[in-house]
Amino acid sequence: DVEAVGIGWGTIVLEPGVYVLTEPLIFDAINLVWIQGSGWNTVIKRNGDCDAIVLNGCGFATVSNLRIIGNMEAKKGSGIVLRNSSSCTIDYCRIRQFAESGIFFEEIQKTNVFQHGYPLTLIGNRDYHIHSRSNNDFIFDSNQFGTHSATPLIGCFLDHSSAGTYSKNMHWDNTVALRLSPGCHFNRIENN
């Protein structure tokens, strides 16, 4: 329960099963929270047009061991959205079938956000699997960006994102595997 966590230092453990969301699960200014599933048999299913999990102004939050599934008929929405959040981790998740992005980092400038997916699997999200806008000091390592139900425009879009590491990621059947916009500096991109 989000309210029970308060401002932080809590763990939300989701048992195996399907959890259907009709509204986004929003965390505002919560630090040191861990949203932990029990593996890919813990499913968060998003009905309708909107995001599934949103972290606004959070620090040191972790989302792990989940399957997050969007609605193929939706016009908008992303699996996980991080806004103005720092030092967060997303790992051991499979995120698929969202109209926009599997994971969207937004306006994270001047903070450190780490996303380490080992393995993070993004499948059939329609726009981008990862859209990293103004996200600095990131780590995207050992992830899979592919398709089964929809062909993504871009596997990973580094949009004004700098000082990061992008390594050992696998791409298949994306229209573009990796795109860097102007304003991306000092990134290490290797062994993809």
Side-chain angles (χ1 to χ4, degrees):
D1 171 310
V2 177
E3 287 78 20
V5 173
I7 60 169
W9 297 87
T11 300
I12 298 171
V13 178
L14 300 173
E15 297 297 325
V18 177
Y19 300 84
V20 178
L21 299 179
T22 55
E23 297 178 7
L25 185 58
I26 298 174
F27 296 84
D28 283 316
I30 295 176
N31 296 312
L32 297 162
V33 65
W34 185 3
I35 304 156
Q36 178 184 12
S38 302
W40 287 3
N41 57 353
T42 302
V43 178
I44 292 179
K45 182 157 180 37
R46 179 67 176 99
N47 284 345
D49 291 335
C50 215
D51 307 317
I53 298 173
V54 179
L55 302 173
N56 289 318
C58 296
F60 300 95
T62 299
V63 179
S64 66
N65 294 307
L66 295 169
R67 252 191 320 153
I68 305 170
I69 301 173
N71 179 353
M72 288 296 289
E73 312 303 317
K75 305 270 190 280
K76 61 180 183 174
S78 295
I80 299 175
V81 177
L82 293 96
R83 291 188 183 101
N84 298 312
S85 295
S86 64
S87 302
C88 295
T89 301
I90 304 167
D91 62 3
Y92 297 102
C93 289
R94 179 181 174 105
I95 305 169
R96 61 183 301 219
Q97 297 178 332
F98 282 89
E100 294 175 287
S101 301
I103 302 171
F104 181 33
F105 296 96
E106 182 179 28
E107 300 304 323
I108 314 235
Q109 213 160 6
K110 300 182 182 174
T111 61
N112 301 320
V113 174
F114 301 90
Q115 181 272 328
H116 178 258
Y118 189 79
L120 182 62
T121 304
L122 295 119
I123 302 288
N125 299 294
R126 290 200 307 262
D127 284 349
Y128 316 117
H129 284 310
I130 292 181
H131 186 181
S132 177
R133 181 190 297 160
S134 300
N135 176 21
N136 300 315
D137 301 322
F138 60 86
I139 300 171
F140 298 150
D141 182 62
S142 303
N143 303 298
Q144 298 181 44
F145 304 100
T147 185
H148 290 299
S149 53
T151 300
L153 296 177
I154 300 173
C156 181
F157 181 20
L158 299 179
D159 182 3
H160 292 83
S161 294
S162 298
T165 298
Y166 190 86
S167 63
K168 296 181 282 184
N169 297 293
M170 294 176 51
H171 307 84
W172 74 93
D173 292 336
N174 300 277
T175 304
V176 174
L178 172 65
R179 178 180 174 192
L180 284 77
S181 75
C184 290
H185 304 287
F186 312 111
N187 290 309
R188 177 188 300 140
I189 298 172
E190 59 186 6
N191 299 323
N192 294 289

